[in-house]
Amino acid sequence: MANRILCLNFGSTSTKIAAFSDEEKIFSKSWSAGDGEYPDHFEDLAEHEAFAADLIEKELKKHGLTFEDFDIFSARGGAQVFIESGAYGINDIMLEDTYKFGGEKGHPGKLATRICGKLGKKFSKPAYIINGPSVDEFQDVARMTGFKDLYRQSRIHALNQKEIAHRYAKENGKKYEDLNLIICHIGGGMSITAHRKGLMVDSNDIIEGEGPMTATRSGAIPSAPLVRMCYSGKYTEHEMLSHITKTGGLTDHLGTDDLRKVEQKIKDGDQYAKMVLDSMIYQIAKTAGSMAVVLKGQADRILLTGGMAHSEYLVSSLKEYLGWIADFTVYPGEFEMEALAAGALRVARGEENAKEYTGKDVWDGFHF
């Protein structure tokens, strides 16, 4: 019998659902905040959760389905401590953490965990999170900084990156655990990661301001000028953090986060737009090159994914910079919903064991 899987993925401005019968997608649906069907503001996450659960139930009914029809509930995790990769059963400790971390005004990503966990309990069905954004497989040497009290942390597009890695391995008759890969997720945010024998041993931090500038993020900036900017009196802490994570990059330079519009500007003769785009590509390549060093030059393949991987100019430029390291395979777009289904199926088929969430960080500091 095929497994019916309901997958939920909440972002900061979008909500995505998909229903699968094993690997076959039955349907998918995405809502954007403020699109008329989905409000752009809720008083708190409890209100958001109640609205979303009701909307999802109504959408299922349009396709002749109910929550009870599903065998597995699969969520993109949120508001967890740093954990190993894989599937985790949603337990009471995990649900409690979705209330403890970030408060009830926090990021809606945690709502997928809450809804799937409650559905699993109600119908006595398994419910999992799959490779959430807090997956941490860093090697210790990657954590150290020049400040003894500050350590680098793993914040990666783990769900899509792991899915792409598994896809590439399967398509080429190999095991992910036997490969060394450089995977570049290039979208609104960018994570450029060294995968060594099935582990993401180093990457840029997609939240805290590392790596290349992106459509909306500043990327790495020289520290001293940034500190002076923070203390100039012109900006609040909130404004600076927003500038780093939401209004930097292409948005700050060119007034848009849409790469297609940037490329049109270039076609129309905008030389500054070309310089900005070429600089972003240069920074992506530099970061990917550093991951080749992490792998000691032994990269089997470079994989490109994310929305910007649709750009022929960006892809061809990156090949010019990085082609000497390894050959490329391109997976344009993102496959998060498919990844949620695939991760649940690996557990259902006995290919992986679901892990137990304990609420303790996988890394608790250096011990000498």
Side-chain angles (χ1 to χ4, degrees):
M1 293 288 291
N3 294 280
R4 281 190 174 180
I5 309 165
L6 178 62
C7 302
L8 305 185
N9 183 349
F10 284 66
S12 58
T13 60
S14 66
T15 295
K16 301 174 186 177
I17 68 171
F20 289 84
S21 177
D22 283 348
E23 291 91 353
E24 181 182 355
K25 186 184 293 183
I26 301 171
F27 82 92
S28 63
K29 174 71 175 180
S30 177
W31 295 275
S32 296
D35 66 0
E37 194 175 5
Y38 211 99
D40 60 0
H41 175 74
F42 295 92
E43 287 300 316
D44 53 30
L45 290 178
E47 181 186 5
H48 192 167
E49 179 184 346
F51 174 86
D54 181 64
L55 185 65
I56 293 167
E57 185 172 24
K58 290 176 180 176
E59 185 64 30
L60 292 177
K61 287 181 180 179
K62 294 178 183 178
H63 299 272
L65 295 167
T66 68
F67 286 132
E68 196 170 5
D69 291 328
F70 290 92
D71 304 297
I72 308 171
F73 301 102
S74 186
R76 183 175 184 232
Q80 282 85 231
V81 297
F82 289 98
I83 55 177
E84 296 177 348
S85 62
Y88 285 77
I90 301 174
N91 59 20
D92 288 339
I93 300 173
M94 187 185 296
L95 289 174
E96 288 171 8
D97 279 356
T98 69
Y99 292 93
K100 182 169 63 175
F101 296 122
E104 284 306 281
K105 297 288 186 180
H107 194 285
K110 62 180 73 176
L111 297 182
T113 304
R114 290 187 191 175
I115 293 173
C116 283
K118 291 173 183 178
L119 289 171
K121 281 188 174 184
K122 182 176 180 179
F123 298 110
S124 299
K125 304 286 182 64
Y128 305 112
I129 64 165
I130 310 292
N131 288 327
S134 56
V135 168
D136 183 351
E137 299 175 329
F138 272 16
Q139 55 186 340
D140 274 356
V141 71
R143 303 181 188 276
M144 190 73 73
T145 76
F147 284 174
K148 67 177 182 179
D149 295 325
L150 293 180
Y151 300 101
R152 298 182 65 246
Q153 294 180 310
S154 174
R155 296 180 179 89
I156 306 170
H157 297 94
L159 183 61
N160 194 48
Q161 288 225 8
K162 288 284 187 176
E163 173 65 13
I164 292 305
H166 282 289
R167 285 189 179 213
Y168 173 77
K170 185 176 181 179
E171 290 168 1
N172 290 275
K174 302 178 184 294
K175 292 183 178 180
Y176 168 48
E177 293 76 14
D178 294 333
L179 294 170
N180 287 341
L181 303 169
I182 299 170
I183 302 184
C184 305
H185 178 112
I186 306 172
M190 297 185 192
S191 54
I192 300 170
T193 308
H195 293 242
R196 185 173 63 207
K197 308 302 182 187
L199 298 175
M200 300 186 297
V201 295
D202 201 353
S203 183
N204 63 295
D205 188 323
I206 63 175
I207 300 297
E208 298 288 85
E210 287 189 330
M213 66 172 166
T214 77
T216 59
R217 300 171 189 177
S218 65
I221 293 178
S223 301
L226 180 60
V227 170
R228 287 193 287 269
M229 191 175 180
C230 291
Y231 282 88
S232 67
K234 296 179 180 179
Y235 311 95
T236 66
E237 178 183 357
H238 175 76
E239 287 170 339
M240 283 304 304
L241 290 173
S242 180
H243 202 32
I244 289 170
T245 60
K246 296 179 181 179
T247 62
L250 299 183
T251 299
D252 191 41
H253 283 285
L254 302 172
T256 180
D257 61 0
D258 190 332
L259 180 58
R260 295 166 297 183
K261 292 181 179 179
V262 174
E263 291 186 327
Q264 186 58 53
K265 286 176 181 285
I266 295 170
K267 289 179 182 178
D268 293 339
D270 189 330
Q271 291 301 305
Y272 182 66
K274 186 176 188 305
M275 173 60 74
V276 172
L277 177 57
D278 286 345
S279 297
M280 185 183 77
I281 292 169
Y282 176 80
Q283 292 173 22
I284 295 169
K286 271 208 310 185
T287 308
S290 72
M291 295 305 150
V293 173
V294 170
L295 297 174
K296 299 180 178 179
Q298 299 176 358
D300 296 304
R301 201 79 174 182
I302 298 173
L303 308 182
L304 298 185
T305 185
M308 288 190 182
H310 286 287
S311 168
E312 293 181 6
Y313 178 76
L314 183 145
V315 171
S316 63
S317 297
L318 287 177
K319 286 181 178 179
E320 289 181 15
Y321 278 116
L322 301 168
W324 60 275
I325 295 172
D327 290 333
F328 278 63
T329 300
V330 183
Y331 296 91
E334 52 87 11
F335 304 87
E336 290 185 340
M337 306 312 287
E338 291 84 355
L340 291 174
L345 277 176
R346 286 194 289 272
V347 176
R349 291 169 174 171
E351 298 169 7
E352 289 184 13
N353 294 319
K355 297 177 180 178
E356 181 180 2
Y357 181 80
T358 65
K360 296 180 180 179
D361 282 312
V362 69
W363 186 77
D364 64 353
F366 296 114
H367 300 283
F368 297 105

